[in-house]
């Protein structure tokens, strides 16, 4: 079974979805709308700021907790936590299959989120994370590396 993470990010109403693409056609994949869709990342990002470094730390912690089956719901906006809870049975095993995190590379800002390439032992993925001032995760998106 091929699992393809597919999602959109919105500042106040983040959505995280995992879609089985092994037998789907493009017209079969449900489209979820959000005020802002994920687009190309500006790859001309400067040296990461302390805020970006903190976003990377939170992302690393979040992925590890999700792999362990204990997503940090208390650090997520309610709508994001609800979406993750609803899909935890699919997301957790997929993340475990990716293996250990080898590296996290900053790719740049994008529509209020930070874009990171997360390199696992068995996969490369692109992650987008948006934190508020209290470091609550407002948006979390991942997909296979482009």
């Amino acid at each position: 079974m091929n699992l393809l993470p597919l999602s959109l990010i919105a500042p106040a109403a983040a959505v995280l979805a995992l879609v089985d693409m092994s037998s789907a056609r493009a017209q079969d994949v449900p489209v979820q709308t959000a005020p802002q869709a994920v687009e190309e990342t500006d790859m001309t990002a400067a040296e990461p700021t302390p805020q970006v470094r903190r976003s990377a730390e939170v992302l690393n912690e979040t992925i590890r907790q999700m792999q362990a089956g204990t997503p940090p719901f208390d650090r997520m906006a309610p709508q994001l936590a609800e979406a993750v809870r609803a899909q935890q049975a699919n997301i957790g095993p997929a993340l475990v299959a990716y293996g250990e995190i080898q590296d996290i590379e900053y790719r740049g800002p994008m529509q209020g989120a930070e874009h990171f390439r997360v390199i696992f032992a068995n996969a490369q993925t692109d992650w987008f994370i948006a934190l508020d001032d209290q470091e609550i995760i407002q948006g979390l998106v991942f997909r296979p590396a482009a």
Side-chain angles (χ1 to χ4, degrees):
M1 171 184 342
N2 272 336
L3 291 179
L4 173 65
L6 173 69
S7 57
L8 302 176
I9 189 168
V15 177
L16 183 63
L18 195 63
V19 178
D20 178 359
M21 296 298 290
S22 60
S23 62
R25 298 171 302 185
Q27 61 268 29
D28 295 333
V29 178
V31 176
Q32 298 174 338
T33 60
Q36 299 174 359
V38 174
E39 294 177 7
E40 292 293 320
T41 300
D42 177 8
M43 299 303 260
T44 62
E47 183 67 26
T49 64
Q51 178 182 352
V52 169
R53 284 192 290 278
R54 185 61 189 141
S55 292
E57 291 169 2
V58 170
L59 179 60
N60 186 13
E61 294 165 10
T62 300
I63 292 170
R64 290 179 190 279
Q65 289 175 329
M66 290 174 74
Q67 285 180 316
T70 57
F73 297 120
D74 60 327
R75 295 193 67 184
M76 296 178 185
Q79 293 158 323
L80 177 62
E82 182 180 321
V84 172
R85 272 189 193 96
Q87 299 175 62
Q88 185 174 353
N90 293 328
I91 295 170
L95 292 176
V96 169
Y98 291 166
E100 291 292 318
I101 296 173
Q102 306 294 310
D103 195 15
I104 297 179
E105 302 170 354
Y106 182 58
R107 295 297 182 138
M110 185 174 55
Q111 298 181 354
E114 303 299 342
H115 175 193
F116 295 93
R117 168 81 36 96
V118 179
I119 301 169
F120 295 89
N122 303 316
Q124 290 190 24
T125 55
D126 287 325
W127 289 74
F128 306 87
I129 186 169
L131 301 177
D132 67 15
D133 293 338
Q134 289 77 41
E135 295 188 357
I136 299 298
I137 304 169
Q138 297 295 316
L140 184 63
V141 175
F142 74 100
R143 65 182 184 206

